[in-house]
Amino acid sequence: MTEVKPVFKPNKEFAKTARIKNMCEYQALQDAAMEDYEGFWGSYAKEKIDWIEPFTNVLDESNTPFVKWFEGGKLNVAAQCIDRHLSSRKNKAAIIFEGDRGDKQIITYLELYYNVNRFSNLLKNEFGVKKGDRVVIYMPMIPEAAYAMLACARIGAIHSIVFGGFSAEALRDRIADADAKVVITADGAFRKDKPYMLKPVVDEALNGETPVQKVLVVERNGEDVTWTAGRDYSYNELIKHQAPTCDAEVMDAEDPLFLLYTSGSTGKPKGVQHNSAGYILWAQMTMEWVFDVKENDTYWCTADVGWITGHTYIVYGPLAMGATTVMFEGVPTYPDAGRPWKMVEEYKINQFYTAPTAIRVLHKSGEDEPAKYDLSSLKVLGTVGEPIDPPAWKWYYEAVGGSKCAIVDTYWQTETGGHIVSPLPGATPIKPACATFPLPGIMAEILDPQTGEKVEAGEGGYMCVTRPWPSMIRGIWGDPERFVKSYFGDVKKDGKPVYFTGDGAIYDTEGYITITGRTDDVINVSGHRMGTAEVEAAIKKHPNVAEVAVVGKPHEIKGEGIFAYVVLKSDKGVADEVEEVKAINNVIKKEIGNIALCDDIVFAPGLPKTRSGKIMRRILRSIAKGETITQDISTLEDPSVVEKIEKMVKA
Ligand code: WTA
């Protein structure tokens, strides 16, 4: 049985004005959605979206899992995020930007409108970008990254952001898969008071055959970069000549808004596709419900726009609801681990949203820092990306939140577009490290993968969503079969395939959901998804490597670290282990980027395999964790290999 965790009731004062004030209101919403699913979503869609033409049908499931929401409806997501606020919020701060070095910019909704329009005109008139074209964005955390996203949305181009920590090879693959004709980048930016570079990575990625015709370079750090004539253009120069208004393209509800590549358990990264109306509706509704942002609030999410959290909860969600969103270029521990708290004090931040890995770092390196600042403006604290451990949760709750703020442990994924299981800050009695309940309208259940039945408390099962929801993934770019196979293959309820997240979860006796982690070969490193298959493919590019198996291993700060078992080609042993480890990590750096570097590399004499040649990763995971092997290994091709590897790891 699971232990029943302590409960923290919502702050009474906060609850009085919260959008959802208690569990009865929550239940009433959830019941309404159960009773009339289409009515529930249809009425929110009508209320929340500024339609150019109204939709005629709420949900079409005739070709499930390829569903359609709000058919017939026409809108523009950039207009939803900007134009509709001009009548009431034109002078309100849309984006507050703080640079690594402490430089600041406040961009009002009216300024955002002009900046995005100019950007749209640039893409359209100078580069010939049209509706449906793919544009890759490889940018640091600067306001121009948000302008670029919204400019694409305004003209109907599909953006695909590649996180700035990915290598040239990773960028090249994503550009090729999306067949992008434009890349938007920057010379680089600043980190820990020093310039770092992005443009050289783009140059390398475009070396050789590429679909890319134009590269737009935002000059942020002013460092020297190479310019390829006829291909590369300075944003700072071109933007001066653009008209400040640009008509918003009229988009269908189901026109694609963006692609975002993410790791799966097998093969290359998948281009997760999100479409217009359903995505923006849920981005906005979850901002309102889960963060409960009010008109005068200042909201800060520390993610990077290169990940889904940055898409939904730095740019689209906050702007769709007309909020003030903070964007930060730097790292939370520079110049010291009080940086975020200093910013909370200075901007009077009301909602702060970050990842458990950041909380652990800030806790470890600056336990007493929060006490040095006035954090009384904080109302809601959020976490996302991986299970949070109770000590980190406790520190966040007490030292940062002063034991008066709700912690919303938001569970969701790139594919879900927005939160699906999360506390509501004014309603849900919270338990540490617990995602609590499905949000209203989300039919999320923990199912037994064999029977498709809902599991009993304490049993554990697969986290599934049994009905389509508006912001769900619409497809994997260019690979409809993989879409069906990846998400609708493993669990059937009442004989029908349902969406499976890839995560395990467990109910406690009060029905609270705790996410227990991935059930597949995906590792969660500092809240970033990494496919073991991808890391293995990278390591295999090293000429001395014969075989490799990669697993996750618990890591104090990162949540999970990457552990690789490598079998070298020559059986003469490893001449210089340190050099060999360096060489392997260099290959990873080149193929994927620093985020996939291994924490441990063991040069194994062989890998534990079944007689049919399948690598027994479960055994390797246990060895990495230092657990005793309890599985039967007698059926392995070479059982002795297990003992040998165990000895090496222990040494
Ligand atoms: C994990 C990030 C526990 C989970 C938004 C999921 C979580 C993966 C939580 C998605 C949470 C996310 N508690 N685990 N609150 N939130 N995860 O696509 O394994 O980068 O499948 O999206 O992160 O990662 P992704």
Side-chain angles (χ1 to χ4, degrees), residues 308 384-387 409-414 503 518 524 529:
I308 191 69
V384 58
E386 50 175 318
D409 184 345
T410 62
Y411 168 73
W412 61 297
Q413 327 175 278
T414 304
D503 285 299
R518 303 288 306 191
N524 202 325
R529 268 162 76 169

Side-chain angles (χ1 to χ4, degrees), residues 466-619:
T466 58
R467 293 213 66 177
W469 67 103
S471 68
M472 75 187 281
I473 174 176
R474 290 303 195 278
I476 292 176
W477 188 251
D479 202 343
E481 270 169 45
R482 193 174 174 202
F483 166 63
V484 179
K485 209 165 153 260
S486 302
Y487 305 106
F488 300 91
D490 292 316
V491 190
K492 288 196 174 96
K493 184 179 161 130
D494 303 327
K496 284 194 214 120
V498 294
Y499 177 86
F500 171 44
T501 58
D503 285 299
I506 194 162
Y507 290 116
D508 73 5
T509 48
E510 293 174 309
Y512 278 70
I513 295 170
T514 296
I515 305 296
T516 50
R518 303 288 306 191
T519 62
D520 54 10
D521 288 320
V522 171
I523 315 181
N524 202 325
V525 187
S526 301
H528 302 147
R529 268 162 76 169
M530 204 49 70
T532 52
E534 266 169 85
V535 183
E536 287 169 3
I539 296 178
K540 275 189 198 144
K541 297 226 162 133
H542 186 292
N544 287 350
V545 172
E547 275 188 300
V548 54
V550 163
V551 297
K553 176 189 169 181
H555 186 284
E556 212 187 346
I557 298 288
K558 296 196 260 187
E560 271 190 298
I562 304 180
F563 195 117
Y565 296 89
V566 175
V567 182
L568 293 176
K569 277 185 184 153
S570 92
D571 50 9
K572 293 189 194 86
V574 194
D576 185 339
E577 211 163 285
V578 177
E579 278 308 307
E580 205 67 60
V581 165
K582 228 192 251 166
I584 288 174
N585 267 328
N586 275 337
V587 182
I588 298 176
K589 203 162 154 180
K590 178 166 177 291
E591 296 294 321
I592 306 175
N594 284 339
I595 48 171
L597 293 184
C598 291
D599 296 276
D600 300 271
I601 297 178
V602 164
F603 295 100
L607 298 175
K609 284 186 199 162
T610 59
R611 296 215 171 96
S612 60
K614 191 173 170 275
I615 297 171
M616 295 297 289
R617 280 204 175 67
R618 208 145 47 96
I619 295 180

Side-chain angles (χ1 to χ4, degrees), residues 216-238:
L216 187 66
V217 185
V218 178
E219 291 169 84
R220 163 72 182 150
N221 64 17
E223 296 290 304
D224 275 345
V225 292
T226 329
W227 297 89
T228 300
R231 187 196 72 183
D232 300 349
Y233 295 84
S234 161
Y235 164 87
N236 306 44
E237 203 36 59
L238 285 187

